[in-house]
Amino acid sequence: MFNRETYIERRKRLKESVADGIILLLGNVDSPMNCRDNTYHFRQDSTFLYFFGLNYQNLAAAIDVESGEEILFGDDFSMDDIIWMGPQESIKDKAAKSGVTKTMPSRQLSTYVKEAVQQKRKVHFNPLYRAENQLLLQELTGIAPAQQQEKASLELIHAIVALRSCKDANEIEELRTAAAAGYQMHVTAMKMATPGTWEQKIAGTIEGVAMANGNPPSFPIILSQNGETLHNHDHSNILEKGKLMLVDAGAQSTEFYASDFTRTSPVGGKFTSQQREIYEIVLAANNRATELSKPDVTYLSVHLEAAKIIASGLKEVGVMKGDVEEAVKAGAHALFMPHGLGHMMGLDVHDMEDLGQVYVGYDEETRPVNQFGTGALRMGRRLQPGFVITNEPGIYFIPALIDQWKSEGKFTEFINYDRLNAYRSFGGIRLEDDLLITNDGCELIGERIPITPEEVEAVMS
Amino acid sequence: MFNRETYIERRKRLKESVADGIILLLGNVDSPMNCRDNTYHFRQDSTFLYFFGLNYQNLAAAIDVESGEEILFGDDFSMDDIIWMGPQESIKDKAAKSGVTKTMPSRQLSTYVKEAVQQKRKVHFNPLYRAENQLLLQELTGIAPAQQQEKASLELIHAIVALRSCKDANEIEELRTAAAAGYQMHVTAMKMATPGTWEQKIAGTIEGVAMANGNPPSFPIILSQNGETLHNHDHSNILEKGKLMLVDAGAQSTEFYASDFTRTSPVGGKFTSQQREIYEIVLAANNRATELSKPDVTYLSVHLEAAKIIASGLKEVGVMKGDVEEAVKAGAHALFMPHGLGHMMGLDVHDMEDLGQVYVGYDEETRPVNQFGTGALRMGRRLQPGFVITNEPGIYFIPALIDQWKSEGKFTEFINYDRLNAYRSFGGIRLEDDLLITNDGCELIGERIPITPEEVEAVMS
Ligand SMILES: [Mn+2]
Ligand SMILES: [Mn+2]
């Protein structure tokens, strides 16, 4: 699917978007779990994958923007490595796969970078999220880890974001594969959501479903009958009848593209009328956001429209009150939806988050909003064909937050605090699909996972 | 099971075994996968778990050996944390669970350590395997990561190894739980081993079996029809009839104790006569090692006895020749078994490997052997009641290694190179059980996973 030409072309465009100097791209090394040699599943850096497609440890690359020279740094293997890890390709062969002709042993990276620094050439590097690479960069450039973030190259970041934001046909195919595995994960979870089942049993099983499709989940699975906790990685509860199980989970394709879906199902298989009432509001917000998502629309405006559906629905059930437009403008809805409508997705579930969310989700025209709730929106700027984004509205009843706002007398004109007692143990609902922006609108990536109350109950029956 | 008193007692014994100074124990932080906030499953440092039992990120502890004072360093949570991660215990409450009464905010750790250094007090620390903690230690002590390994405290290492080597009744119970999950993993894999099945599908599924029992596997799963590659984490092959599937995999209990088993099964369910012949040799070596394992026997001697069973079995099938004792003494058997018989196991699958294998597996009396094969034995010293070790003999036909030895004319008096052509695509067989050393012998941990050819074929039929 992705071939040499893909990577050569991507690097050509990268070189065209950076004015001068050297681009340094560090691949990832193994991450130790509980000792150096007992490691987590290797995950290559996504930018490194994007420009080289090489899913191996201990690689780095330098691209000389001016001369056009590209060098892959890495080492060949010893007989001992072959005994323990099997026959390995040479570094030359690896480089050839991505269309790079020049290779050097890893130890020469330091000399190469130091020479460039001495010649007063710019060395562009990304913000680094792994401490091993921070230590390596310190060794190469003398810049301490605490200073690296601010010394990262904005020019490089903008160039990479511009390239990676629009997905090509092959990338979309990968995203569809990841979506298909995500579908299996969610349907498996729904079927297991019976009273008396340990959350971890379900979370572990669907993690296995992702793995059996080729790779670990695209992010740590969120699965809980306490869905009001937004990133709940605690799976220690036993499911109880009357609760809602919120599952936010996705897979990675074999080429490491992500999916990211959320479904919320009634433990035992039937929604109560109270659950269904709130559920339908979230579903309406999700559907409306899909309708609105198309080129040239800002995702911030879609977020705010979804928020209005949430606020007006909650007004109908008596939990909110007053003018809906005013309530959303003031941010009162954020008591119930304290997060953003979605984020970009691609090789990373929060695509390119390592490069800086503000560069990925915002631009000079659309700036982040400094307000609780909408401030957490990771993606606000104008949509373009080829963008892949998540659409994930939610309604949560978070006792600690409700109590805090109530005690502060916050937004009493928009919130009926007295009515909230009936929802204290409600939990939360989130419904998330993945959208591909097309030329005139958007389409869902993958077959839609059962989402209407009827569809969900049918799967669970 | 483990309670406050357990941890208090363990720390009391630790303080008794270190003469003076301050013991600094760093817990683990989250490990980033492809960006800072998209993390791997959190795994606490095993030594930190052993002395505190606190499975949380961002903790550190200092134990003043002289005054007896114990301090847990960590921070309380904000409302924002509660919204995203749910209600959290206070640092005081966490400390209380492990019987520690004094807590301080994380930022005071630096002051605390710097004061100790200024007072010329010894600061004992372990070798660190995570770069994040290496950076932290650098900040605390000024010692650069590259120097930390050699400046780690041997006194502390020896004290910890002495304590953690002998498992108590609660720990053995945890190991049995991990073994039960490991049993499920292996039987699931055997049942899936049909021709045409993608290795990753099986590996992913059994990873899910581990997870559904509470935790990720104790180490990255080895599963391959190319079992001659000892640590084969490549699962990309489609299983073929006539091949052997080698699976080396184990689980972690909910308290993070490990299991580690290996089984080798014929793809499609029936051993060929050639496979069975080699299989029976490995099984005999495994059984003999279990018979021999008891207090006061060195595991090095058990390893060498197992090697003799391997060599004499291979002599019988015509692959080796000459005097068996001499062949093993010279290390000729290592062409077929280039690894050691086993390792200690506990909170880590290679228990305490982060502290230094030589301190865990060897002592002043039993020193590592500098010979290919036996040199890879991780555990050689005298066994004691309460030790938990793996017993994992194997026979592999590694084309690259055979070709190398043959071209070097190595051990032509012990090896019939001509006969090896018939085994070039054989693969490898390893059979691994986990042993608990008792007062007068040893016992298998957990129900024995089907291991005789008849048992294996029965599971697969
Ligand atoms: Mn999402
Ligand atoms: Mn083992």
Side-chain angles (χ1 to χ4, degrees), chain A residues 256-458:
Chain A
F256 302 97
Y257 282 78
S259 63
D260 180 8
F261 299 111
T262 310
R263 288 295 182 268
T264 309
S265 353
V267 176
K270 293 280 167 211
F271 288 96
T272 66
S273 59
Q274 189 196 44
Q275 288 169 344
R276 192 164 172 143
E277 204 171 33
I278 303 295
Y279 190 97
E280 296 280 11
I281 302 169
V282 180
L283 181 54
N286 171 300
N287 287 334
R288 183 77 182 126
T290 301
E291 274 169 34
L292 293 172
S293 295
K294 60 181 171 196
D296 291 328
V297 165
T298 69
Y299 209 49
L300 174 59
S301 72
V302 182
H303 166 89
L304 292 172
E305 284 305 312
K308 283 178 209 162
I309 305 270
I310 301 272
S312 89
L314 289 175
K315 184 176 166 182
E316 242 169 84
V317 305
V319 158
M320 291 188 71
K321 60 185 177 183
D323 184 81
V324 165
E325 296 269 342
E326 290 300 317
V328 168
K329 207 171 162 189
H333 68 285
L335 176 59
F336 307 103
M337 180 173 151
H339 64 71
L341 183 62
H343 47 86
M344 274 215 164
M345 195 181 74
L347 274 164
D348 305 304
V349 60
H350 291 170
D351 211 21
M352 304 173 274
E353 190 166 88
D354 56 318
L355 301 181
Q357 194 178 277
V358 69
Y359 309 120
V360 178
Y362 293 88
D363 55 19
E364 292 192 6
E365 182 203 357
T366 312
R367 302 303 305 156
V369 175
N370 184 17
Q371 184 187 73
F372 179 77
T374 300
L377 179 64
R378 295 172 194 272
M379 168 71 195
R381 64 184 165 122
R382 281 191 200 282
L383 302 174
Q384 295 172 32
F387 279 19
V388 170
I389 49 174
T390 66
N391 166 15
E392 48 181 311
I395 295 179
Y396 316 87
F397 296 89
I398 307 168
L401 188 62
I402 292 170
D403 292 346
Q404 192 192 46
W405 280 32
K406 189 179 175 184
S407 74
E408 291 169 0
K410 206 164 165 181
F411 295 132
T412 47
E413 68 276 38
F414 299 122
I415 293 163
N416 279 321
Y417 285 103
D418 295 345
R419 303 290 288 272
L420 287 177
N421 286 329
Y423 294 87
R424 268 192 98 79
S425 63
F426 183 95
I429 293 172
R430 179 163 66 251
L431 296 171
E432 177 178 25
D433 291 320
D434 301 335
L435 307 180
L436 166 66
I437 305 303
T438 57
N439 287 328
D440 53 0
C442 74
E443 58 183 55
L444 268 62
I445 297 182
E447 192 186 342
R448 199 178 197 191
I449 300 166
I451 193 164
T452 67
E454 295 73 24
E455 287 166 354
V456 172
E457 290 184 353

Side-chain angles (χ1 to χ4, degrees), chain B residues 36-88:
Chain B
R36 198 178 48 98
D37 289 341
N38 201 29
T39 57
Y40 287 109
H41 289 290
F42 177 64
R43 178 56 159 80
Q44 184 56 292
D45 175 69
S46 296
T47 293
F48 199 87
L49 277 178
Y50 184 81
F51 290 109
F52 298 94
L54 298 173
N55 183 31
Y56 309 99
Q57 292 89 333
N58 308 314
L59 297 178
I63 299 174
D64 187 320
V65 174
E66 290 149 76
S67 74
E69 187 180 56
E70 302 171 332
I71 306 172
L72 183 71
F73 294 85
D75 298 317
D76 282 324
F77 288 83
S78 68
M79 175 58 73
D80 217 46
D81 296 319
I82 291 168
I83 293 173
W84 290 89
M85 307 191 308
Q88 305 288 328

Side-chain angles (χ1 to χ4, degrees), chain A residues 49-69:
Chain A
L49 276 179
Y50 184 80
F51 289 110
F52 298 93
L54 298 172
N55 183 31
Y56 309 98
Q57 293 89 334
N58 308 315
L59 296 178
I63 299 173
D64 188 320
V65 173
E66 290 149 76
S67 73
E69 187 181 58

